[in-house]
Amino acid sequence: MNFTRTLFPLSMLLLSGCVVGPDYQKPDAVLPAKFSESKATSGENVALNPWWEAFRDKRLNGLVHQGMAENLSVRQALERIEAAEANVVVAGAGGLPSIGASADASASGQDGSYLRRTSTTGASHSESKSISGGASVSWLLDFFGQYRRSKEAASASLDAAYDDVGVARLAYLSDLVSSYVNARYYQEALALNRKNLESRRETLKLTNEIKEAGAASSLDVLQTEGLVNQTLADLPALETGFHQAANHIATLLGVPAATITSSLTKGAAQPMPRYSTRTGVPADLIRNRPDIRAAERRLQAATAQIGVAEADLYPSIELGGSIGASRNFNAVTGSLSSWSFGPSLTLPIFSGGALQAQVKVARSEAEQQYLTWKSTVLNAVEEVENAQTALIRDGQTVAALRKVVNSYEQTLNLARESYRGGASTILDVLDAERNVASARLSLASAIRQLARDYVALNVAIGGGAEIGAATVASK
């Protein structure tokens, strides 16, 4: 008997160290040593890099910092952290003893009267009062690590929730800065079209003067007027584009649409990045990209869930006990107490294959999470490669278009002088007008694309994912 009492606690102690299911191993990804158009030099942690300051635009800087604590997507991601933290508590509570208590009191009685045949009235009365209470305790012994694996999964999911905030912050930065770039582009396009309009009105005035002198026809005047009216027709669409971009910026800042428009109405130069971006090497993305880290944490959570499912295949023992007391104030003895304590064993003998199927489901979900992680890594590498390639070549396009604009502006001046002298027709001037207008708008569009490529590249490497984290968390 003494041997059994000694062996049983010892066996329980040994079993308590057994945790079923695979232990998590960090996944490996075969990545190239460098990006195709950069040096094989590992970069620093870019999570705190305020890359948008390279535009040297104070208004943009103010909008970015204003929205860090107000963007609704970021705040939703922060709320999911609260839920994930609560899930960690829930998962850990399962392996702890559960204690409960109860109490009740009651009173009952009877009142009645009756009339005897002798007209003598009688009455009866009875009353009973009682009170009882009790406490119970139960503890499911986690011999095979079911609750430890559950807590491991919940903790990994919590880490993923924190990384999801970084993902939301990057999406916010990309959307806000790109929208600001669009707004300034539309303002620049409007300014260029108004400049073109002024130039074409001068050409129309010149054509009318030459017609009065008898050297131009009504057809020349009508063609010139058509170009003026076409320029006027292009203005409303550009104004619409500006207002839509400004309204979207307001939404990203968590304020009603159109509240930002007035502050952006005063135009500014198109944003142009003032320095290049160090992309590092592909392996840096695993450290810097919050979506990759979140995918890995979810892989860890899914791996832990395999252990939870496997634990259900094994017996479980629950220790339980209760104690109770009651008192009947009308009874002779007055009170009664009882207690019980002991283990209960549950054996999963037959479940129709459901438990084994749950293990297969958990393993399949873990494999899916691994594939998701791998896909996320490869997509991140592709995004960096694409953005870097576009940034380099769009920079070349901008440089070439500046020369094109300069050439066409000189051509327009020469065409006007030639038209005044009668050496060319109005068609030469109108063609030169069209070429200048088209080249100027192409340049503005190329500058916008260059800025957007710069945004895409910095977001692709995870730049700025943790800026404002302390400010947002304090809200």
Side-chain angles (χ1 to χ4, degrees):
M1 186 64 177
N2 292 335
F3 175 78
T4 303
R5 291 179 178 177
T6 304
L7 181 61
F8 182 77
L10 180 60
S11 64
M12 296 298 101
L13 180 62
L14 292 174
L15 284 173
S16 64
C18 178
V19 180
V20 298
D23 292 328
Y24 176 71
Q25 301 292 331
K26 290 181 68 68
D28 293 324
V30 180
L31 297 174
K34 70 181 190 69
F35 293 109
S36 59
E37 300 195 68
S38 61
K39 297 180 180 179
T41 304
S42 179
E44 57 187 16
N45 190 339
V46 297
L48 296 175
N49 177 31
W51 48 265
W52 54 88
E53 294 181 358
F55 291 116
R56 297 181 183 177
D57 190 316
K58 293 182 179 180
R59 185 72 181 106
L60 173 60
N61 295 341
L63 292 173
V64 169
H65 290 290
Q66 178 183 349
M68 281 293 187
E70 301 299 333
N71 181 256
L72 299 181
S73 296
V74 175
R75 294 177 66 177
Q76 289 173 18
L78 285 168
E79 286 300 322
R80 286 192 285 271
I81 289 178
E82 298 289 337
E85 289 177 340
N87 284 332
V88 173
V89 176
V90 171
L96 300 175
S98 176
I99 301 175
S102 63
D104 64 84
S106 64
S108 61
Q110 291 182 341
D111 290 294
S113 63
Y114 60 93
L115 185 64
R116 294 178 180 270
R117 290 183 178 180
T118 58
S119 300
T120 304
T121 302
S124 66
H125 175 78
S126 64
E127 183 177 309
S128 174
K129 296 181 180 179
S130 65
I131 185 172
S132 63
S136 63
V137 60
S138 64
W139 185 14
L140 183 62
L141 302 180
D142 191 18
F143 291 151
F144 301 99
Q146 180 181 22
Y147 290 111
R148 277 167 286 180
R149 290 299 191 194
S150 295
K151 189 172 183 179
E152 179 184 350
S155 297
S157 297
L158 174 60
D159 291 338
Y162 275 102
D163 289 323
D164 284 341
V165 176
V167 174
R169 193 176 290 114
L170 282 180
Y172 153 74
L173 289 172
S174 175
D175 202 356
L176 176 67
V177 180
S178 295
S179 297
Y180 184 83
V181 168
N182 288 339
R184 293 308 187 194
Y185 159 74
Y186 286 117
Q187 285 183 315
E188 178 69 13
L190 280 167
L192 290 174
N193 271 273
R194 291 184 179 117
K195 185 176 181 180
N196 293 334
L197 180 62
E198 181 180 353
S199 174
R200 289 168 179 175
R201 281 174 171 167
E202 290 179 2
T203 302
L204 177 60
K205 180 181 178 182
L206 175 63
T207 305
N208 283 319
E209 291 174 353
I210 295 177
K211 179 187 176 184
E212 291 176 358
S217 65
S218 298
L219 179 61
D220 292 340
V221 174
L222 290 174
Q223 288 176 325
T224 308
E225 286 179 346
L227 200 57
V228 170
N229 291 328
Q230 181 60 56
T231 307
L232 289 170
D234 292 337
L235 295 178
L238 296 174
E239 292 173 348
T240 299
F242 166 72
H243 283 278
Q244 289 177 344
N247 292 341
H248 189 58
I249 291 173
T251 300
L252 291 173
L253 299 182
V255 297
T259 56
I260 302 297
T261 305
S262 59
S263 65
L264 293 178
T265 301
K266 185 179 180 180
Q270 283 187 269
M272 279 278 292
R274 305 299 178 181
Y275 56 79
S276 59
T277 299
R278 295 181 57 187
T279 58
V281 297
D284 293 336
L285 298 177
I286 297 177
R287 178 186 71 240
N288 294 333
R289 289 265 303 222
D291 56 338
I292 296 178
R293 296 197 304 268
E296 183 183 346
R297 297 282 72 80
R298 291 188 172 94
L299 171 58
Q300 182 179 6
T303 303
Q305 288 295 341
I306 298 175
V308 175
E310 289 188 359
D312 289 335
L313 299 175
Y314 297 92
S316 61
I317 297 179
E318 181 176 1
L319 298 179
S322 64
I323 184 171
S326 62
R327 178 178 177 83
N328 190 325
F329 293 94
N330 297 86
V332 178
T333 57
S335 64
L336 177 66
S337 62
S338 63
W339 62 272
S340 66
F341 179 79
S344 61
L345 175 65
T346 302
L347 298 175
I349 297 175
F350 179 74
S351 61
L355 298 180
Q356 291 82 355
Q358 287 296 329
V359 175
K360 291 182 179 179
V361 169
R363 290 186 178 276
S364 176
E365 290 177 349
E367 181 64 20
Q368 293 175 47
Q369 289 297 333
Y370 167 72
L371 296 175
T372 299
W373 173 84
K374 187 174 182 180
S375 176
T376 304
V377 173
L378 295 177
N379 288 335
V381 175
E382 179 187 0
E383 288 174 3
V384 175
E385 293 277 19
N386 291 343
Q388 188 176 34
T389 298
L391 184 63
I392 293 173
R393 283 152 184 80
D394 285 339
Q396 297 169 354
T397 300
V398 169
L401 284 173
R402 291 188 190 279
K403 297 179 180 178
V404 171
V405 170
N406 184 57
S407 297
Y408 280 145
E409 286 176 345
Q410 293 182 32
T411 301
L412 176 60
N413 292 332
L414 292 175
R416 282 178 175 168
E417 291 298 325
S418 178
Y419 182 52
R420 283 191 181 96
S424 62
T425 66
I426 188 60
L427 293 178
D428 295 326
V429 178
L430 296 181
D431 285 341
E433 289 270 12
R434 292 188 187 94
N435 290 335
V436 169
S438 177
R440 286 171 175 171
L441 290 175
S442 295
L443 176 59
S445 180
I447 291 175
R448 172 175 69 163
Q449 189 57 49
L450 180 66
R452 293 177 65 166
D453 293 337
Y454 178 79
V455 173
L457 179 58
N458 280 277
V459 170
I461 63 175
E466 296 180 11
I467 288 184
T471 302
V472 176
S474 65
K475 285 291 180 178

